[in-house]
Amino acid sequence: MVLQIQPPTQPEVIYPDSDGQPIANSTIQFGWIVELKQNIECLFADDPNVFVAGDLFWYPVEGRNKIVNAPDVMVVLGRPKGDRLCYQQWKEEGIAPQVVFEILSPSNTQTEMDKKLLFYDRYGVEEYYIYDPEKNNLRGWLRSEDGLDVIPQMEDWVSPRLKIRFVPSSEGLQLYRPDGERFLTYTEISRNAEQERQRAEQERQRAELAEQARRDAIPRLLQMNLSIEQIAQALGLPVEEVRTLAQE
């Protein structure tokens, strides 16, 4: 009798989606994370294959759940939109986030940021940007043949992948879309949306009033002995519609 020894089963690797730490350590840092994520999502709203995430765990190596990072904002071109508990790169056609942003808070240490730079360099990030809102300091790295290299001049720098423009100033960092429009805060986006809604409602009401005024003019024009055809031409209405309204 031959006994077949079954190979030991490999334990399932768990990929946590949280470390129990807050997304941000200050309202300033959180505000920047939200502004970057929302504006970039708006920029690529019509492209179903651009995934944008904030503070999402990224696992680049299958089976290695200790190799992980959670960029403040990451952009993955070539992967579909949609919810994810974490970004497991081997399940995403092996595509690494091409663009990563980190927003510094007072709790970030130089050692921590050095480790992040090494991680992003090692696992394929093409563009890496760090902004310190407290010190109003912007730094960037761009991938070359040898890895991530420092971008020597960030003034009016344009992201090769996102086509957004960075404009540091004494008042703080400003970012601009490819069409020249400035990145907006959530409050500004909401206010603009409400103003647009109000404009649309006012336009709808004006159109309804104009339409009603044209309809109300039909009886008066008939009393002036104008023909149905003449009224239709004068009011810009179809002849059949004028005839129907005249009979009401």
Side-chain angles (χ1 to χ4, degrees):
M1 179 178 182
V2 178
L3 295 177
Q4 292 185 349
I5 301 176
Q6 298 295 327
T9 59
Q10 295 293 325
E12 181 184 3
V13 178
I14 304 299
Y15 300 93
D17 53 38
S18 173
D19 57 4
Q21 298 299 313
I23 293 176
N25 294 319
S26 71
T27 55
I28 296 174
Q29 184 188 27
F30 182 75
W32 269 100
I33 292 172
V34 171
E35 181 175 334
L36 281 167
K37 179 180 181 294
Q38 289 188 328
N39 278 272
I40 295 172
E41 281 183 326
C42 289
L43 185 62
F44 292 101
D46 296 330
D47 190 333
N49 288 310
V50 177
F51 174 66
V52 184
D55 195 48
L56 185 73
F57 275 22
W58 164 27
Y59 293 96
V61 182
E62 185 175 9
R64 304 288 298 278
N65 61 4
K66 300 299 184 183
I67 302 177
V68 60
N69 221 312
D72 285 338
V73 178
M74 68 180 190
V75 185
V76 192
L77 294 95
R79 296 305 301 150
K81 293 174 170 37
D83 294 328
R84 294 161 172 80
L85 293 176
C86 59
Y87 190 84
Q88 298 177 22
Q89 189 172 322
W90 58 94
K91 294 182 178 180
E92 307 283 353
E93 297 186 0
I95 298 176
Q98 294 94 347
V99 185
V100 163
F101 295 85
E102 293 287 354
I103 306 299
L104 294 187
S105 70
S107 65
N108 292 124
T109 66
Q110 187 60 51
T111 299
E112 176 188 0
M113 301 315 295
D114 288 344
K115 287 181 178 180
K116 284 179 179 287
L117 175 59
L118 180 62
F119 182 98
Y120 298 144
D121 188 13
R122 178 174 295 165
Y123 293 110
V125 169
E126 297 177 15
E127 302 176 43
Y128 175 34
Y129 302 103
I130 298 178
Y131 181 57
D132 184 343
E134 296 285 347
K135 298 179 180 179
N136 190 23
N137 181 38
L138 173 68
R139 291 178 289 163
W141 289 260
L142 181 66
R143 181 165 295 278
S144 69
E145 293 181 356
D146 299 320
L148 288 174
D149 287 338
V150 173
I151 301 170
Q153 177 57 260
M154 288 301 299
E155 182 92 26
D156 281 332
W157 171 260
V158 176
S159 160
R161 279 288 194 171
L162 307 182
K163 309 304 180 186
I164 63 176
R165 183 164 58 93
F166 297 78
V167 183
S169 71
S170 58
E171 299 178 354
L173 176 63
Q174 297 285 347
L175 294 101
Y176 292 85
R177 297 161 49 99
D179 60 7
E181 291 294 322
R182 178 176 61 85
F183 271 29
L184 302 175
T185 64
Y186 176 76
T187 300
E188 289 172 325
I189 292 173
S190 298
R191 185 182 297 119
N192 289 350
E194 176 60 19
Q195 291 174 347
E196 183 60 32
R197 187 195 67 78
Q198 292 177 359
R199 282 195 295 269
E201 177 62 18
Q202 291 170 356
E203 183 60 33
R204 183 189 66 80
Q205 291 177 358
R206 282 194 296 268
E208 286 183 353
L209 289 173
E211 179 66 18
Q212 189 60 47
R214 290 193 297 175
R215 290 169 177 264
D216 293 343
I218 292 174
R220 295 195 299 272
L221 294 173
L222 286 171
Q223 291 175 0
M224 297 170 61
N225 294 321
L226 271 68
S227 68
I228 296 293
E229 289 75 15
Q230 288 172 324
I231 294 173
Q233 183 176 6
L235 298 180
L237 295 172
V239 171
E240 288 303 320
E241 182 177 352
V242 174
R243 182 173 289 110
T244 300
L245 292 172
Q247 293 171 354
E248 290 181 356

